[in-house]
Amino acid sequence: MISILELPSGWSNAAQVDWALGRVVGMDALGLTRIEFRLHGGCKLWIDGVLRLMAHCNQMAGRGIHVRLTFLGGSSGVMGYIDRMGFFDHLDPRIETIPVRPAVSGASLFRGGNTGLVEIVPIVAAHRDDDLPNRLTEVLRQACAARADADRLSEAASTLFSELIGNVYDHTQTSGHVALQVYPGGSKVKVVVCDDGLGLMETLRPALNERTSEYRGMTDVELLVEMFRSGLSRHSDPKHGQGLKDCATKAVRFQAELDVRLVSQNVRLTPSRGGYEAATAYCSEGLPLLRGTHIAFTFGLAP
């Protein structure tokens, strides 16, 4: 028997992809052997939704589940858009697609042709690309050149890219992806960095518990907020952890929302009184299990 997930017409972000999958397979997908993702003709995906769909499909295929992606609108709908993003370049080859995936990807043909788009880029420790954060930042700078604060926004983005991508590179057993899209009509830009490692809480909490009992009573959400607010790190060296704090500080300056996907939770942080606080964290629990850490920043483009 095949489980069927429907992504309807209209816009879907990463959280909505999670919720749709959760309604079909539950949290742990026990007994799941076959699943079909049906994307309707009018379906549209924000960039974080594109990467979340890819992560779920790839991880399911890696567990031996037969995955089928059916694009009911054909190649001219959302399939064409995610092809332009490079989705099929990074999709597990075991995954079946209807229609069949393009022989040559749109990302390969048109990469760099849209100044408001950074197609999906792999982050692989064995092939470290130290210039990647600079290239991403330059695309963002050009896209936002008309803004009075474009230089400051570019500086903030540079820190975000360098820290988050560096974290993936520094964990040699981890690979990941990064993408960026500017949405002029929605007056926002989304930056997504994700990896398939152990995840923030799986590395942070055990290390903290070995050093101190101070944080044992904290929920994952409270611990996550503390990480971005005070530079809390799994390392005892105080120099570690400040990168994520700096990311959050710069993001708050531009009133950016921050979404972090944990193993079975999604936490959305909104700026409040100059920082991220527990009172401004919105948590969804019991989501389908997803390995790794998936972080998305959403900046408003309006000055």
Side-chain angles (χ1 to χ4, degrees):
M1 182 176 179
I2 188 168
S3 298
I4 298 175
L5 178 154
E6 307 267 357
L7 284 179
S9 297
W11 287 94
S12 292
N13 59 21
Q16 288 163 318
V17 172
D18 280 338
W19 296 333
L21 181 59
R23 288 193 293 268
V24 173
V25 304
M27 187 175 79
D28 51 17
L30 284 177
L32 181 68
T33 59
R34 297 173 61 86
I35 185 168
E36 178 180 4
F37 292 78
R38 290 182 181 172
L39 286 74
H40 287 247
C43 174
K44 300 178 181 180
L45 292 172
W46 298 100
I47 185 61
D48 58 327
V50 174
L51 269 70
R52 187 63 49 82
L53 176 64
M54 187 176 76
H56 278 303
C57 289
N58 284 347
Q59 291 190 21
M60 284 182 170
R63 300 201 304 269
I65 298 170
H66 181 272
V67 180
R68 177 191 298 157
L69 279 169
T70 299
F71 299 91
L72 299 177
S75 59
S76 63
V78 67
M79 183 180 188
Y81 166 70
I82 65 176
D83 172 41
R84 178 66 182 83
M85 292 296 306
F87 179 88
F88 296 106
D89 294 336
H90 308 287
L91 187 69
D92 191 301
R94 293 170 289 187
I95 295 171
E96 177 186 4
T97 66
I98 301 174
V100 297
R101 63 183 74 190
V104 179
S105 78
S108 297
L109 292 172
F110 304 109
R111 186 175 299 278
N114 182 342
T115 58
L117 170 67
V118 177
E119 297 87 349
I120 300 169
V121 180
I123 311 171
V124 184
H127 304 283
R128 185 169 184 131
D129 182 355
D130 290 323
D131 191 50
L132 176 58
N134 293 332
R135 297 200 310 271
L136 296 167
T137 302
E138 178 61 18
V139 172
L140 178 63
R141 188 193 65 78
Q142 291 182 15
C144 302
R147 287 182 56 124
D149 58 355
D151 289 342
R152 286 181 289 138
L153 179 58
S154 298
E155 179 188 353
S158 178
T159 299
L160 293 172
F161 284 131
S162 296
E163 175 65 25
L164 297 177
I165 293 172
N167 282 347
V168 180
Y169 281 138
D170 292 341
H171 295 84
T172 57
Q173 301 303 313
T174 295
S175 60
H177 296 90
V178 60
L180 176 153
Q181 175 126 40
V182 177
Y183 299 92
S187 194
K188 67 180 68 173
V189 56
K190 285 182 175 287
V191 182
V192 184
V193 180
C194 56
D195 67 65
D196 58 7
L198 289 175
L200 287 173
M201 292 302 107
E202 285 66 33
T203 56
L204 176 64
R205 191 178 287 280
L208 287 176
N209 288 344
E210 287 184 4
R211 297 203 307 265
T212 178
S213 61
E214 180 180 356
Y215 304 103
R216 289 180 182 174
M218 282 189 173
T219 66
D220 284 353
V221 176
E222 291 169 334
L223 202 57
L224 184 71
V225 171
E226 193 65 19
M227 176 187 291
F228 282 92
R229 184 171 57 188
S230 66
L232 193 62
S233 170
R234 64 191 176 96
H235 299 283
S236 56
D237 183 350
K239 293 181 180 179
H240 286 279
Q242 294 305 307
L244 288 177
K245 178 178 180 293
D246 289 345
C247 286
T249 299
K250 290 181 179 296
V252 164
R253 183 188 306 168
F254 293 91
Q255 291 296 295
E257 287 193 358
L258 168 61
D259 278 84
V260 183
R261 177 62 151 87
L262 306 176
V263 173
S264 61
Q265 295 176 311
N266 188 81
V267 181
R268 178 169 58 89
L269 303 171
T270 58
S272 176
R273 297 196 296 274
Y276 293 120
E277 302 181 13
T280 65
Y282 303 90
C283 180
S284 299
E285 298 183 328
L287 299 176
L289 298 180
L290 186 66
R291 187 177 67 251
T293 301
H294 307 257
I295 298 179
F297 288 90
T298 302
F299 295 93
L301 288 179

